[in-house]
């Protein structure tokens, strides 16, 4: 999110002497993207961020593809992903391509004995169930039901959960995650027509400098492998930082829907922009107000992209037998639409209470073994029932 922010202590000028109370130098680190050409932050550490004590053997976490090519409307019952104690082990990739991985997770326990850094992808973590705190060197972000946590690649973090009941919908984007360009003016500010603004963005706070030496395990993900690193200093030893590259949060409940006299197409729900995909939020809203309008979505042929919908809560008038945590995948190449009877039933309705996350990838998704294990194999029959 291109908003300048700073926390803690920083020197008056970049790349200048900045001393500790004992006379030693703080260690400056530039965290930059696209070389030196895009968003960056300058971080000041108590110790250099380069003190590696040991390296463990890397191990693969590559998704195992079960179905690379298919042409069938598919539904996954997401809450059938079994909970796991460990955060990383709980993450199960279900839909993947070369631009993004979509995962489900049900972690029971907080991260206490290690830290995690995704060095290959930005992460968007949607909190479906649970509350807690995202902890980083940049500061803390409290999270709860309906929050999107946007964690740029290279950020070392821990997830602290308040209880053992947690459900997460996670998108790993191999390109940067940004606000849609059409929402921003030439200076980067979110414009008046945007469905959310800077006031809705929650940035890190409560920076705590961990001046600690010891053994600190950091699991780093890159190219489908986890590399176990042990550093000699605490990764959250920031004394201060400033810039545009940092984690942030946005609640789906703060997305202001765009409505009209006639049915609005999905782009009005767009929330984030990724490389070769978009992410949208469907929220409670007034239906179309033309006297002859049909609120139910029309039949749609996906010519260029798959369509993924993750059902969060509420009543979905275009679908039958929807459950929380369900994922529907409508692949490019065949049409999809409202279930039988839904169109007539929707006429005259004034509003919807639905809550969902939608992803449209512009390259086909593949199903993993974990996806096939939670598939509702009769879903494609549902239009004929």
């Amino acid at each position: 999110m291109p908003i300048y922010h700073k926390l803690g202590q920083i020197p008056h000028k970049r790349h200048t002497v900045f001393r500790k109370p004992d006379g030693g130098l703080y260690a400056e680190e530039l965290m930059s993207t696209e070389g030196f050409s895009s968003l960056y932050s300058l971080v000041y550490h108590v110790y250099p961020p380069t003190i590696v004590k040991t390296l463990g053997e890397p191990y693969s976490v590559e998704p195992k593809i079960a179905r690379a090519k298919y042409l069938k409307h598919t539904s996954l019952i997401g809450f059938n992903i079994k909970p796991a104690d460990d955060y990383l082990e709980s993450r199960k990739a279900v839909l993947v391509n070369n631009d993004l991985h979509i995962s489900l997770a049900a972690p029971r326990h907080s991260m206490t004995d290690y830290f995690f850094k995704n060095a290959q992808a930005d992460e968007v973590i949607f909190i479906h169930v649970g509350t807690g705190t995202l902890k980083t060197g940049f500061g803390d972000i409290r999270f709860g039901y309906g929050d999107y946590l946007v964690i740029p690649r290279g950020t070392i973090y821990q997830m602290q959960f308040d209880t053992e009941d947690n459900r997460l919908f996670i998108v790993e984007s191999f390109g940067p995650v940004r606000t849609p360009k059409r929402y921003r003016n030439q200076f980067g500010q979110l414009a008046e027509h945007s469905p959310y603004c800077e006031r809705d963005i929650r940035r890190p706070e409560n920076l705590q400098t961990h001046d600690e030496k010891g053994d600190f395990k950091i699991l780093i993900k890159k190219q489908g492998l986890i590399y176990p690193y042990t550093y000699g200093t605490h990764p959250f030893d920031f004394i201060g930082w400033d810039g545009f590259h940092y984690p942030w949060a946005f609640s789906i409940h703060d997305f202001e829907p765009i409505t009209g006299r006639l049915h609005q197409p999905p782009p009005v729900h767009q929330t984030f922009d990724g490389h070769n995909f978009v992410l949208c939020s469907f929220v409670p809203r007034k239906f179309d107000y033309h006297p002859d309008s049909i609120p139910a979505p029309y039949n749609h042929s996906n010519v260029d992209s798959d369509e993924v919908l993750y059902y969060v809560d509420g009543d979905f008038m275009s679908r039958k037998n929807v459950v929380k945590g369900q994922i529907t995948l409508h692949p490019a190449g065949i049409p999809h639409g409202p279930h039988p009877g839904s169109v007539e039933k929707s006429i005259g309705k004034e509003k919807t209470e639905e809550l969902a996350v939608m992803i449209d990838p512009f390259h086909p998704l593949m199903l993993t073994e974990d996806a096939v294990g939670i598939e509702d194999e009769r879903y494609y029959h549902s239009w004929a029932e």
Side-chain angles (χ1 to χ4, degrees):
M1 184 66 190
I3 306 174
Y4 174 78
H5 191 46
K6 67 177 179 179
L7 281 178
Q9 304 172 48
I10 59 174
H12 178 63
K13 282 285 189 178
R14 297 180 293 181
H15 322 316
T16 58
V17 171
F18 184 31
R19 295 195 181 276
K20 306 175 187 178
D22 65 4
L25 288 171
Y26 289 112
E28 184 183 53
E29 178 189 13
L30 174 68
M31 300 184 69
S32 66
T33 59
E34 297 180 19
F36 293 81
S37 301
S38 192
L39 302 181
Y40 67 91
S41 285
L42 277 169
V43 173
Y44 297 87
H45 296 268
V46 176
Y47 305 101
T50 51
I51 303 172
V52 178
K53 298 180 76 171
T54 62
L55 292 177
E57 283 296 318
Y59 56 91
S60 176
V61 289
E62 280 281 3
K64 296 179 180 178
I65 305 303
R67 196 176 300 155
K69 299 179 180 180
Y70 61 94
L71 191 63
K72 182 181 77 168
H73 291 324
T74 302
S75 177
L76 311 177
I77 308 304
F79 278 20
N80 283 352
I81 290 289
K82 294 181 180 179
D85 289 341
D86 180 70
Y87 170 70
L88 287 184
E89 289 180 4
S90 76
R91 292 167 51 134
K92 306 298 183 185
V94 290
L95 302 171
V96 301
N97 66 18
N98 289 332
D99 300 311
L100 75 159
H101 287 179
I102 298 172
S103 300
L104 297 168
R108 289 195 187 97
H109 296 165
S110 300
M111 301 163 64
T112 55
D113 58 351
Y114 69 90
F115 305 81
F116 177 60
K117 175 166 73 173
N118 196 329
Q120 70 179 23
D122 289 13
E123 294 189 354
V124 180
I125 303 176
F126 179 78
I127 310 298
H128 193 168
V129 177
T131 60
T133 303
L134 172 68
K135 302 188 76 68
T136 74
F138 295 96
D140 297 344
I141 300 177
R142 284 289 299 172
F143 62 77
Y145 169 56
D147 280 337
Y148 293 106
L149 300 176
V150 182
I151 307 174
R153 73 198 60 203
T155 302
I156 299 172
Y157 73 85
Q158 286 184 321
M159 294 287 281
Q160 300 289 322
F161 301 105
D162 295 332
T163 71
E164 293 189 358
D165 187 16
N166 304 287
R167 290 281 176 178
L168 313 175
F169 177 79
I170 303 171
V171 178
E172 291 181 77
S173 171
F174 301 117
V177 173
R178 299 187 171 117
T179 55
K181 186 176 181 180
R182 69 179 184 280
Y183 293 166
R184 292 182 262 121
N185 62 28
Q186 61 180 319
F187 303 103
Q189 182 182 16
L190 289 168
E192 274 288 297
H193 68 275
S194 171
Y196 57 93
C197 73
E198 286 81 2
R199 296 183 189 184
D200 301 315
I201 303 302
R202 306 201 317 274
R203 290 168 281 177
E205 56 187 12
N206 189 33
L207 187 148
Q208 300 179 49
T209 304
H210 291 261
D211 184 350
E212 301 174 35
K213 293 182 177 180
D215 294 331
F216 299 92
K217 185 177 181 180
I218 301 176
L219 300 180
I220 303 174
K221 185 175 183 179
K222 186 173 182 181
Q223 294 177 305
L225 297 176
I226 294 286
Y227 293 85
Y229 268 67
T230 301
Y231 281 85
T233 58
H234 198 293
F236 300 166
D237 70 338
F238 295 22
I239 188 69
W241 65 273
D242 76 332
F244 290 69
H245 180 81
Y246 55 84
W248 51 282
F250 169 71
S251 173
I252 196 172
H253 305 298
D254 286 328
F255 187 90
E256 300 301 333
I258 298 170
T259 60
R261 270 170 51 88
L262 298 174
H263 189 86
Q264 298 295 298
V268 303
H269 306 288
Q270 187 179 354
T271 310
F272 303 117
D273 191 55
H275 178 65
N276 288 328
F277 75 93
V278 297
L279 188 153
C280 303
S281 300
F282 288 84
V283 302
R285 62 195 182 277
K286 293 286 187 181
F287 275 142
D288 328 310
Y289 47 89
H290 186 284
D292 292 326
S293 67
I294 298 178
Y298 34 75
N299 294 300
H300 174 223
S301 270
N302 299 17
V303 175
D304 298 312
S305 68
D306 293 353
E307 179 190 280
V308 174
L309 204 61
Y310 177 76
Y311 295 92
V312 179
D313 209 345
D315 180 24
F316 297 89
M317 51 84 177
S318 63
R319 289 281 178 273
K320 296 178 180 179
N321 304 316
V322 169
V323 295
K324 293 181 181 181
Q326 182 176 346
I327 295 176
T328 56
L329 169 61
H330 301 141
I334 50 176
H336 67 278
H339 279 151
S342 298
V343 174
E344 188 70 41
K345 186 179 177 181
S346 75
I347 297 173
K349 293 288 183 68
E350 294 185 357
K351 63 179 181 178
T352 176
E353 297 297 329
E354 68 186 15
L355 204 63
V357 177
M358 188 180 83
I359 296 172
D360 278 1
F362 302 135
H363 293 128
L365 290 166
M366 298 176 285
L367 277 76
T368 68
E369 292 180 1
D370 286 309
V372 172
I374 59 171
E375 182 181 5
D376 174 4
E377 296 183 355
R378 288 191 52 80
Y379 176 69
Y380 74 96
H381 285 293
S382 58
W383 284 267
E385 293 175 352

